[in-house]
Amino acid sequence: PSAPSGNLSAPSGNLSAPSGNPSSPSVSPSAPSEFLLLHSEEFSVSGTALMLLRMVEEYARCAGSLPTVAADLSAKTADLLKMYNSRSCQLVLGAGAIQLVGLKTITTRNLALASRSLQLALRYLPDLRRFYTELLPCKQRSLLKQLDHAERDYTNHVEEISSKLVYIIEHSIDAQMRHYEVRAPAPGAVIRAVCKSLSKFHESVGSLLPREQLLELFVRLHSVLVDQLRHRLIETNVTNDGGPQHALLIADFAFYKSSIQNLAGLSSLELSFNDLWPNR
């Protein structure tokens, strides 16, 4: 069998698997591009993700050339994937990179790059599993359960990063919404500040994350905003009575929706406030 290839290619770097001999993605020494392509999907990733794929490639090449050691190499591949995931978690979610390389903080962009790097490995894993399934005899295919475990761990890690991103922006929204009041002129300064924070967040991660994930993040952040806004309206005794304050609130809603839906990739985002008012 040939080593896994996923048509992994970069526009200027030709990151692709040559046909014929066993091979997984390899990188040519051309100028770096902004993203990789795997199964027609763009990935903006860290350099360590490329190193991971190169090492997986070497294992695959050896396994294809020496099938008698394929079982050991499949286990080594699973160990390598697990180590990469573990170290990524320690350095990014665990903020170990702050001490290791002197970063001042782990930014939302750092988190997004880590997430996308893990997603690249996840997207490549089915090709890898098929390759070793074809190569290993039936009695040894149970060894591939380690790749299944790696896939589960990567999936969980990606979700943890998404939750961390939401938490960071949730903290910012919470600090701003504590000062929210419904008063003229509309839109108010607090809503403008919230929209500015969300716009900066989008600027930081929007070019890195796939559209589906970006939409999911903003759906969760909108839910956070609605919860915070509901609490503030109760505290300030603003009701859904159609009066002057309600009209100002509607103007704030309109500004917020327009600001968010005008961000790249978010025009179809549903931003409803229907559940804002408590049931009476």
Side-chain angles (χ1 to χ4, degrees):
S2 61
S5 103
N7 297 322
L8 188 60
S9 61
S12 62
N14 295 323
L15 192 70
S16 60
S19 59
N21 295 330
S23 172
S24 65
S26 59
V27 186
S28 78
S30 303
S33 63
E34 294 182 355
F35 58 84
L36 308 180
L37 285 176
L38 176 59
H39 297 303
S40 301
E41 183 177 352
E42 295 181 3
F43 291 85
S44 296
V45 299
S46 64
T48 56
L50 295 180
M51 294 173 63
L52 174 67
L53 290 184
R54 283 173 171 168
M55 295 173 75
V56 169
E57 170 194 1
E58 290 304 315
Y59 285 147
R61 286 182 186 275
C62 290
S65 300
L66 299 170
T68 55
V69 298
D72 288 338
L73 290 171
S74 69
K76 294 293 185 183
T77 298
D79 289 342
L80 177 62
L81 290 167
K82 290 177 182 178
M83 183 181 67
Y84 180 84
N85 182 56
S86 176
R87 290 297 289 159
S88 295
C89 185
Q90 292 170 7
L91 293 173
V92 181
L93 280 179
I98 292 178
Q99 292 184 337
L100 187 64
V101 297
L103 290 179
K104 292 183 179 180
T105 185
I106 301 297
T107 66
T108 55
R109 189 169 182 84
N110 295 145
L111 289 166
L113 276 172
S115 175
R116 206 62 182 131
S117 298
L118 295 170
Q119 289 170 347
L120 175 63
L122 273 172
R123 193 74 172 88
Y124 188 59
L125 266 170
D127 295 331
L128 198 60
R129 188 184 295 105
R130 280 192 296 270
F131 167 69
Y132 281 108
T133 297
E134 294 177 9
L135 199 61
L136 293 174
C138 292
K139 63 181 181 181
Q140 292 183 321
R141 289 177 185 172
S142 60
L143 295 171
L144 298 181
K145 289 182 180 179
Q146 295 302 315
L147 292 179
D148 296 333
H149 294 162
E151 182 174 18
R152 180 196 61 203
D153 292 343
Y154 273 58
T155 300
N156 291 339
H157 191 179
V158 169
E159 177 54 35
E160 288 174 1
I161 291 176
S162 292
S163 295
K164 181 69 172 181
L165 287 168
V166 171
Y167 173 79
I168 291 171
I169 307 305
E170 178 181 3
H171 181 74
S172 174
I173 292 175
D174 178 60
Q176 292 164 335
M177 289 302 294
R178 291 177 185 177
H179 306 288
Y180 180 75
E181 294 182 5
V182 181
R183 62 182 181 183
V190 171
I191 285 297
R192 289 181 180 274
V194 168
C195 291
K196 184 176 181 180
S197 294
L198 291 172
S199 178
K200 285 185 176 180
F201 173 65
H202 180 276
E203 181 181 353
S204 176
V205 306
S207 62
L208 303 177
L209 300 177
R211 182 173 178 272
E212 295 76 12
Q213 187 177 5
L214 192 63
L215 284 168
E216 179 187 352
L217 286 172
F218 272 84
V219 166
R220 294 169 66 175
L221 290 171
H222 175 67
S223 178
V224 168
L225 176 64
V226 170
D227 287 342
Q228 295 293 335
L229 184 56
R230 183 186 299 111
H231 293 152
R232 282 300 295 160
L233 294 180
I234 293 173
E235 290 174 353
T236 56
N237 199 31
V238 176
T239 59
N240 187 16
D241 59 3
Q245 278 192 312
H246 184 254
L248 291 170
L249 186 62
I250 295 301
D252 280 349
F253 291 172
F255 177 80
Y256 163 79
K257 292 177 70 173
S258 175
S259 297
I260 302 306
Q261 290 176 339
N262 281 335
L263 297 175
L266 300 182
S267 60
S268 62
L269 183 63
E270 292 291 335
L271 299 172
S272 172
F273 290 93
N274 291 337
D275 59 347
L276 177 63
W277 306 103
N279 294 326
R280 297 185 182 276

